[in-house]
Amino acid sequence: MDYLALLERDIDGWNLYRKRHPKVVLSLAGRDLSAKYLFEGNFRGCDLQGASLRGACLIGADFSGADLSGADLRGAYLCDANLYGANLRGAQIAGANMDRADLRAAALFGVRLNLASTQGTLMSASGLAGKKSVEGRKSAGAARLQKSNERSHRRAAYQPVRLSAVVAGGVFLSVLTLFASRWVALGGDWLGVFALRDTSPVEEVQLPIVEAAQVVSPPAVLDLSLAQSMDGSSQVWSLATHTQQDGRSLLIGGGKDGQIEIWDRESGQMLQTLPGHNDTVRTLAVAPSGEWLVSGSGDGLKVWQLETGLLMHSIPCGHGPIWSVSISPDGETFVSGDSDGNVSTWRLQDGRLLRNVNIGVPVWSVAVGPEGASFVSGSSDRTIRQWDLATGEMLRTFDGHEDAVRSVAISPDGRTLASGSWDKTIKLWDLASGELKKTLSGHEDRVVALAISPDGKSLASGSVDNTLKLWDLQTQTLTKTLEESISWILAVAFDSLEPTLVSAGKDQRLRVWQQSMR
């Protein structure tokens, strides 16, 4: 059997095969898997000796017991990956993002580890042979515990350390899960690592100076509080909202189980379930008319009649999942981005492909501007691109992020572009000129979801640091951290008419936040 062909065809199909044949030892030794989308792939016990996984998306992948000796993992995304007991002897991992990776009992002989940006990867080493150094320690005997007065006691004990460890020749590392309340002395053959809070400075916000004679009315600040919550059938990866002509407000959630659930937002009653997908529903969009709902998943695109739940047409798409869709203001076309690097434009009425451009890297997010003339896309190469909707011509690029651009949103007036990145920041751009207006810092991990309020004054952001934040776009400041959850916030959406925000994520709950003037 050609295991490479199986893997390239569909990561979910690969995982299903592994589940059905758990005892089969699969070999991908020496194969080229660079830049592949292998999110949450099951590679337990696989032979990956000398394989190229350079720049691959391996977030949440399971490599426990796998042989990765000599593999090329440079620039790969290994956040939350399980590498327990993996053989990484001689592997190249420069530039790999290994936040919270589980490296317990992993063999790292001859590997040079630079963990300066690998938050949550905590380790102790036994029987070290060779030079050892921990960057930033005050002495060779102990690490200094940093205290935080910015976080509540519930989160303070779990903040990860930033460190750099150089390991050379015959080193066997076993990563332990340590909390701030526990510590191990550094000495002899033991390297103790503490759970320390990241104390990187937060960018100061410079407020404008107002002269005494100038009379300025303060901007309206919107406050949010939790109004209600509902339980989804699985993890909620996408959200959309719509208010019908009769005034009923709909809340639509896309789940990891492939189901789309439609709720009456006010009553919390589930109205209907659309079970057409067989993979995670990663994106949803409602046409301005409210007639059509578009959904994207690993099995392609589907267009539904929203009121009846009738499936109008299905569009199979390539090998990689659809990550984002956005519908034009006139409701005639929609655009999509997928992990194969395709930026595609479709006719909504019949699902016909109008244009397609492949940029060679995963496209995580797309957003059509309110004027309907252009749209933007965010991708793994850290770049945002602006496209002409009618011709497919690329108009401009926005460069400045230091990691993949996971989410993009455009203000209702079409002037401001917001982008959220795996570099933990949000950037605000002038959409007309391409000028960077502001970088918003505040999240402690990847920003994966953005939404701008209908009045253009507020920005909501969700992150895998388990927080939902609200920003004032007029002052470009953080207004409030609305939620500190126990799991990732994967989707946010404002109601198109009312001052209401909805959020959801891995804990399967959909939360409705009502806004009031203060």
Side-chain angles (χ1 to χ4, degrees):
M1 182 174 181
D2 188 348
Y3 296 125
L4 179 60
L6 174 64
L7 182 60
E8 289 183 332
R9 183 161 56 248
D10 182 13
I11 186 61
D12 297 301
W14 166 274
N15 286 344
L16 181 61
Y17 181 86
R18 296 301 317 278
K19 183 177 181 180
R20 291 175 175 174
H21 305 86
K23 295 183 179 180
V24 176
V25 178
L26 304 185
S27 176
L28 293 167
R31 308 307 290 267
D32 184 6
L33 302 172
S34 55
K36 297 294 184 184
Y37 172 83
L38 304 172
F39 184 88
E40 294 187 341
N42 178 359
F43 300 96
R44 288 193 297 269
C46 283
D47 181 3
L48 289 153
Q49 297 180 68
S52 176
L53 291 157
R54 187 169 184 174
C57 179
L58 303 166
I59 297 172
D62 187 353
F63 289 98
S64 55
D67 189 350
L68 288 157
S69 57
D72 186 352
L73 292 163
R74 288 174 293 176
Y77 295 100
L78 286 157
C79 318
D80 300 290
N82 180 9
L83 292 155
Y84 184 95
N87 180 4
L88 287 161
R89 294 176 175 86
Q92 302 177 68
I93 60 175
N97 189 327
M98 302 178 72
D99 286 5
R100 297 174 308 281
D102 185 352
L103 287 165
R104 289 174 297 171
L108 296 168
F109 288 82
V111 174
R112 178 184 175 89
L113 282 181
N114 183 358
L115 301 180
S117 62
T118 56
Q119 298 196 44
T121 303
L122 310 177
M123 66 178 64
S124 67
S126 175
L128 293 179
K131 183 178 179 180
K132 300 166 289 185
S133 68
V134 178
E135 193 174 79
R137 68 176 182 248
K138 292 295 184 180
S139 68
R144 183 168 56 94
L145 187 62
Q146 304 287 339
K147 292 184 178 180
S148 169
N149 58 3
E150 301 174 9
R151 291 288 176 192
S152 67
H153 66 280
R154 291 175 300 168
R155 290 178 59 83
Y158 298 92
Q159 303 303 321
V161 67
R162 286 176 178 257
L163 59 105
S164 176
V166 179
V167 184
V171 181
F172 184 87
L173 294 179
S174 175
V175 178
L176 303 177
T177 303
L178 300 177
F179 298 96
S181 59
R182 300 178 59 189
W183 61 275
V184 181
L186 175 68
D189 287 338
W190 287 90
L191 173 63
V193 179
F194 296 77
L196 304 181
R197 182 180 180 277
D198 175 16
T199 56
S200 301
V202 178
E203 178 182 357
E204 295 183 358
V205 178
Q206 299 297 324
L207 298 179
I209 299 175
V210 181
E211 295 180 2
Q214 186 179 2
V215 178
V216 178
S217 299
V221 178
L222 297 174
D223 194 17
L224 288 85
S225 59
L226 183 63
Q228 62 175 312
S229 62
M230 292 156 281
D231 291 324
S233 60
S234 66
Q235 296 176 6
V236 183
W237 281 69
S238 54
L239 288 172
T241 63
H242 177 67
T243 301
Q244 297 176 308
Q245 291 184 351
D246 61 4
R248 171 179 277 182
S249 296
L250 302 181
L251 170 56
I252 309 161
K256 186 176 177 62
D257 59 3
Q259 292 195 132
I260 300 171
E261 296 174 334
I262 302 178
W263 308 73
D264 182 304
R265 200 192 68 210
E266 281 80 9
S267 67
Q269 176 186 2
M270 185 182 295
L271 302 176
Q272 59 180 320
T273 299
L274 311 180
H277 286 289
N278 58 25
D279 182 38
T280 302
V281 181
R282 292 173 172 86
T283 180
L284 293 166
V286 177
S289 66
E291 184 177 3
W292 309 110
L293 169 68
V294 180
S295 58
S297 178
D299 57 8
L301 293 157
K302 295 186 183 296
V303 178
W304 313 78
Q305 190 177 60
L306 181 57
E307 184 175 353
T308 64
L310 180 65
L311 177 62
M312 302 306 294
H313 39 265
S314 295
I315 310 170
C317 303
H319 304 308
I322 303 292
W323 274 98
S324 184
V325 295
S326 182
I327 302 175
S328 63
D330 62 8
E332 296 293 326
T333 59
F334 69 95
V335 296
S336 66
D338 64 37
S339 62
D340 285 342
N342 294 303
V343 180
S344 306
T345 305
W346 311 84
R347 192 162 69 182
L348 186 59
Q349 184 178 7
D350 57 10
R352 183 167 69 90
L353 178 64
L354 300 176
R355 281 167 296 280
N356 181 78
V357 178
N358 188 285
I359 65 172
V361 293
V363 179
W364 297 107
S365 185
V366 294
V368 178
E371 83 293 339
S374 67
F375 68 95
V376 295
S377 64
S379 50
S380 281
D381 61 359
R382 312 175 183 182
T383 302
I384 304 160
R385 294 169 174 84
Q386 184 179 22
W387 308 84
D388 186 293
L389 182 60
T391 66
E393 177 188 0
M394 191 174 70
L395 305 175
R396 178 185 289 113
T397 60
F398 301 77
D399 299 303
H401 279 294
E402 297 179 358
D403 209 330
V405 179
R406 179 62 177 80
S407 184
V408 290
I410 300 175
S411 62
D413 63 8
R415 296 180 180 179
T416 301
L417 165 65
S419 57
S421 170
W422 288 358
D423 66 11
K424 309 172 190 176
T425 70
I426 301 164
K427 291 186 182 292
L428 304 178
W429 312 81
D430 186 301
L431 190 56
S433 67
E435 177 187 359
L436 177 61
K437 295 161 48 173
K438 188 70 175 179
T439 297
L440 305 178
S441 300
H443 281 293
E444 297 178 356
D445 210 325
R446 290 161 282 152
V447 180
V448 297
L450 295 176
I452 298 178
S453 61
D455 62 8
K457 294 180 179 179
S458 300
L459 171 70
S461 59
S463 169
V464 301
D465 68 2
N466 305 341
T467 66
L468 171 67
K469 295 183 182 292
L470 187 70
W471 309 80
D472 188 317
L473 287 180
Q474 292 181 312
T475 62
Q476 301 172 347
T477 58
L478 177 63
T479 302
K480 189 177 183 180
T481 296
L482 298 171
E483 181 182 1
E484 295 189 43
S485 177
I486 59 172
S487 60
W488 298 0
I489 309 295
L490 295 172
V492 294
F494 277 99
D495 186 277
S496 58
L497 298 177
E498 301 180 15
T500 300
L501 173 68
V502 184
S503 64
K506 278 200 167 185
D507 66 358
Q508 302 186 200
R509 295 189 67 80
L510 298 85
R511 293 175 172 83
V512 178
W513 308 83
Q514 298 286 347
Q515 302 185 97
S516 59
M517 300 299 296
R518 70 178 184 186

